[in-house]
C-alpha cells in the first residue's frame, strides 16, 4: 500500500488498492430494517449507528461486490473497521451471506478483506448467530468448488477471524496486524502480544504468508490464477532430473543397493528446492496444518508453470517428516482436489519422525490422513522420488500407479541398516541386505512400484 494510505485503511481504500482502474461494482442485499435500537432495544444503538455512518459514509460494517484483481474477476467483501469496530450484526450478516451467494451464483472466487472486532454486543445473540450464517454460506461456496481467500488486516479478532478469516482456504495477513480470536480487551493481561500478531500466527501455521501492502495486489492475482475456477486441467508433468548445477542429469544407474542408498544420501544431489525452482515460474506457499503446527522440512503450496498452468505441490526436503507436515500435506491435497488442480509430490525422507514429540502430536493419525487424502483424490497426483524413500513415511506421499524415480533415489520398506539390525546381522552385511531389499531405481520399476526412471 502506498505510504500515503492510512495504516488502518478503510473498506473502500482496500478495494481500490486491489482493483485499481479495473473498478468495483458494489452490491447491496434487499433491505431488512432493524427495530428501533436493534433487536435488544439497546438504548442509544440507533444514535451510535448514525454517528458511525456519518463518520465513515457507510451504512454497515461490510462493503461487497464484484471486481477485477489483476486480470481475475472475483467477489470482494471488505470490512469497515470505522463502523462500530467492523463488528458483525444482523445486517452485516445479510451482506456477508449475500457476498458468498453472489460468488456461488457467478462462479467466482471470494476475496475477504477482514478487519473486525467481533460480534456486535448491542445486538446480543442475534449478532452472535451471524457466525453460523457465514459458516453455512462458506460451506455452500466450498461445496461448489470455488476458492476463498482472506486478507486479515489490523485488527482481525473474534468471530470475524473465526469465520471469514481463518475459515478461508488461503489466509494472508498484513504486516503487524493484530490477529487472534481474543481481542486486546478480553485476553489475559499477561498474554504475549506476539501470539496475537500476524507474524505470531504465521509462526504457528494459522496464516499462510505475511504480505507487505505493496505486494498484495500481485500476490492475490497469482493466487486467484492458481486457485481458479478452472476448466479441466491435465496431469502434472514429471519434473526433469537435475544435476547439482541445475543441468540435466546423465548419471548411470546404481549397480548395488548400497550404491543406491549412498547416492540418495549424497548432500550434493539436488533437493526439493532445486526441483521446484526449475519447475515453477511462481510459487505460492501454504504454511501450517491449521492445528498449531508447522514442519520446515515439508514444502506445500500452489505453483504456476511457465505456461501459466497451476499445479499444487507437496515436497519433502530430506528430513524426517513431522506430523504437522503430513497434516499440511493433506490440507494441500484436499484443497487441490476440491478446486480441480493437479498435484505433484516430491518424495525425499529417511522416514517419518519417530521421537516422543512426534508420537504425542499424533504421527500415526497424521500419516493415515495423508494416505487417505491421496487415495480420495479425483485429480491426477504425480510423484517423483528424488532421494530417500523411507518406509511408510515416504509412501504416504506417493501416488499409486503414478510414481516415478530419479537415478539418485531409492525406496524401501525399511532402511537397510535397520533391516540388518532387526535380522541381527553385523554392520558388514548392510550392503547385502540393501541388495536383498531391491531398493534401486531399476528394481522399483521391475517390481511395478515405479513407472519410469527420470534422468
Amino acid at each position: 500500500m502506498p505510504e500515503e494510505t492510512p495504516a488502518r485503511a478503510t473498506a473502500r481504500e482496500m478495494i481500490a488498492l486491489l482493483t485499481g482502474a479495473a473498478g468495483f461494482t458494489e452490491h447491496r442485499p434487499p433491505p431488512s430494517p432493524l427495530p428501533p435500537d436493534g433487536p435488544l432495544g439497546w438504548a442509544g444503538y440507533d444514535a451510535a449507528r448514525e454517528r458511525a455512518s456519518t463518520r465513515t459514509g457507510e451504512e454497515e460494517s461490510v462493503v461487497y461486490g464484484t471486481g477485477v484483481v489483476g486480470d481475475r474477476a472475483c467477489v470482494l467483501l471488505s470490512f469497515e473497521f470505522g463502523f462500530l469496530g467492523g463488528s458483525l450484526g444482523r445486517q452485516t450478516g445479510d451482506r456477508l451471506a449475500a457476498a458468498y451467494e453472489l460468488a456461488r451464483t457467478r462462479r467466482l472466487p471470494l476475496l475477504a478483506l477482514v478487519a473486525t472486532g467481533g460480534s456486535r454486543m448491542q445486538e446480543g445473540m442475534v449478532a452472535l448467530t451471524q457466525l453460523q450464517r457465514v459458516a453455512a454460506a462458506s460451506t455452500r461456496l466450498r461445496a461448489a468448488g470455488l476458492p476463498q481467500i482472506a486478507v486479515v488486516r489490523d485488527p482481525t479478532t473474534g468471530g470475524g477471524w473465526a469465520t471469514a478469516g481463518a475459515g478461508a482456504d488461503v489466509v494472508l495477513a498484513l504486516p503487524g496486524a493484530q490477529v487472534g480470536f481474543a481481542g486486546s480487551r478480553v485476553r489475559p493481561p499477561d498474554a504475549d502480544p506476539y501470539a496475537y500478531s500476524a507474524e505470531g500466527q504465521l509462526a504457528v501455521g494459522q496464516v499462510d504468508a505475511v504480505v507487505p501492502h505493496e505486494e498484495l495486489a500481485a500476490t492475490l492475482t497469482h493466487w486467484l490464477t492458481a486457485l481458479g475456477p478452472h476448466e479441466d486441467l491435465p496431469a502434472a508433468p514429471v519434473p526433469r532430473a537435475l544435476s547439482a548445477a541445475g543441468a540435466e542429469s546423465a548419471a548411470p544407474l546404481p549397480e548395488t543397493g548400497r550404491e543406491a542408498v549412498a547416492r540418495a544420501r549424497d548432500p550434493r544431489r539436488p533437493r526439493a528446492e532445486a526441483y521446484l525452482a526449475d519447475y515453477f515460474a511462481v510459487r505460492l506457499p501454504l504454511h501450517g496444518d491449521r492445528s498449531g503446527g508447522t514442519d520446515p522440512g515439508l514444502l506445500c503450496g500452489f505453483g504456476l508453470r511457465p505456461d501459466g498452468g497451476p499445479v499444487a505441490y507437496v515436497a519433502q526436503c530430506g528430513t524426517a517428516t513431522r506430523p504437522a507436515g503430513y497434516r499440511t500435506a493433506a490440507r494441500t491435497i484436499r484443497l487441490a482436489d476440491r478446486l480441480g488442480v493437479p498435484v505433484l509430490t516430491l518424495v525425499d525422507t529417511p522416514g517419518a519422525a519417530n521421537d516422543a514429540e512426534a508420537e504425542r502430536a499424533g504421527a500415526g493419525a497424521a500419516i493415515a490422513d495423508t494416505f487417505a487424502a491421496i487415495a480420495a483424490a479425483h485429480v491426477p497426483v504425480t510423484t517423483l522420488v528424488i532421494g530417500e524413500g523411507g518406509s511408510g513415511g515416504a509412501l504416504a506421499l506417493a501416488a499409486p500407479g503414478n510414481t516415478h524415480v530419479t537415478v539418485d533415489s531409492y525406496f524401501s520398506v525399511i532402511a537397510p541398516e535397520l533391516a540388518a539390525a532387526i535380522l541381527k546381522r553385523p554392520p558388514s552385511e548392510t550392503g547385502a541386505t540393501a541388495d536383498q531389499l531391491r531398493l534401486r531405481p531399476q528394481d522399483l520399476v521391475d517390481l511395478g512400484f515405479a513407472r519410469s526412471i527420470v534422468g
Side-chain angles (χ1 to χ4, degrees):
M1 186 178 299
E3 291 184 4
E4 62 270 17
T5 303
R8 185 169 283 176
T10 69
R12 294 181 192 274
E13 285 172 338
M14 285 301 302
I15 291 171
L17 171 72
L18 300 178
T19 59
F24 169 72
T25 302
E26 184 175 358
H27 288 242
R28 296 173 185 264
S32 177
L34 293 171
D37 279 331
L40 304 185
W42 187 289
Y45 180 44
D46 283 351
R49 286 179 55 89
E50 182 62 30
R51 289 192 299 271
S53 182
T54 299
R55 184 170 55 250
T56 63
E58 303 296 349
E59 298 176 355
E60 249 303 336
S61 58
V62 163
V63 176
Y64 78 97
T66 57
V68 177
V69 177
D71 59 350
R72 310 299 295 187
C74 62
V75 169
L76 297 100
L77 68 87
S78 187
F79 281 74
E80 176 51 68
F81 189 78
F83 192 103
L84 301 180
S87 56
L88 280 71
R90 196 199 72 194
Q91 291 184 335
T92 322
D94 291 344
R95 293 185 174 218
L96 291 169
Y100 283 88
E101 182 63 14
L102 180 63
R104 190 182 72 82
T105 56
R106 295 282 184 92
R107 297 291 302 167
L108 293 173
L110 181 103
L111 174 54
L113 311 172
V114 189
T116 173
S119 299
R120 194 170 297 169
M121 62 183 180
Q122 295 94 331
E123 294 190 25
M125 286 302 298
V126 172
L128 189 64
T129 57
Q130 302 311 306
L131 305 183
Q132 294 172 322
R133 291 183 71 190
V134 176
S138 174
T139 299
R140 289 191 292 271
L141 189 60
R142 186 170 289 111
L146 294 162
Q148 303 171 44
I149 304 172
V151 177
V152 292
R153 301 146 54 202
D154 183 41
T156 298
T157 62
W161 165 236
T163 51
D169 299 315
V170 176
V171 182
L172 309 178
L174 296 181
Q178 179 189 170
V179 180
F181 186 66
S184 59
R185 297 184 183 181
V186 297
R187 68 182 64 139
D190 59 347
D192 178 8
Y194 180 73
Y196 304 86
S197 68
E199 291 75 13
Q201 296 285 5
L202 176 67
V204 295
Q206 305 293 351
V207 164
D208 291 305
V210 174
V211 183
H213 298 84
E214 63 272 14
E215 299 176 13
L216 189 58
T219 299
L220 286 169
T221 300
H222 289 319
W223 269 116
L224 291 167
T225 302
L227 299 184
H230 304 289
E231 300 299 328
D232 290 340
L233 294 170
V238 180
R240 64 185 177 89
L242 305 173
S243 71
E248 300 228 4
S249 173
L253 291 171
E255 295 184 2
T256 66
R258 181 192 292 274
E259 182 186 351
V261 173
R263 285 168 60 169
R265 295 175 179 173
D266 189 334
R268 296 169 297 179
R269 69 162 173 81
R271 305 285 166 148
E273 279 285 359
Y275 282 93
L276 294 175
D278 180 73
Y279 191 70
F280 291 115
V282 175
R283 281 168 52 194
L284 303 162
L286 290 174
H287 184 69
D289 63 1
R290 294 297 186 265
S291 297
T294 63
D295 181 357
L298 193 76
L299 304 176
C300 294
F302 283 66
L304 297 174
R305 299 272 290 137
D307 62 5
V311 176
Y313 64 86
V314 175
Q316 292 171 315
C317 299
T319 58
T321 303
R322 307 204 64 79
Y326 291 112
R327 285 191 288 266
T328 307
R331 172 195 165 207
T332 303
I333 294 163
R334 289 194 173 105
L335 176 58
D337 189 45
R338 177 163 61 81
L339 301 179
V341 177
V343 178
L344 169 70
T345 67
L346 300 181
V347 169
D348 182 12
T349 180
N354 59 5
D355 52 52
E357 180 184 353
E359 293 297 337
R360 286 192 292 267
I367 295 169
D369 195 40
T370 308
F371 272 116
I374 287 184
H378 295 91
V379 296
V381 181
T382 303
T383 298
L384 181 63
V385 185
I386 62 172
E388 292 195 79
S391 194
L395 190 66
L397 291 178
N402 197 22
T403 291
H404 308 259
V405 293
T406 66
V407 294
D408 46 9
S409 69
Y410 79 89
F411 218 119
S412 178
V413 64
I414 190 172
E417 297 88 350
L418 298 179
I422 290 172
L423 296 171
K424 299 181 179 180
R425 294 176 177 177
S428 60
E429 294 188 26
T430 298
T433 303
D435 288 336
Q436 281 185 290
L437 289 168
R438 296 195 64 193
L439 48 72
R440 300 174 303 168
Q442 58 266 46
D443 296 324
L444 300 172
V445 172
D446 290 343
L447 291 168
F449 171 74
R451 289 181 59 180
S452 72
I453 299 170
V454 178

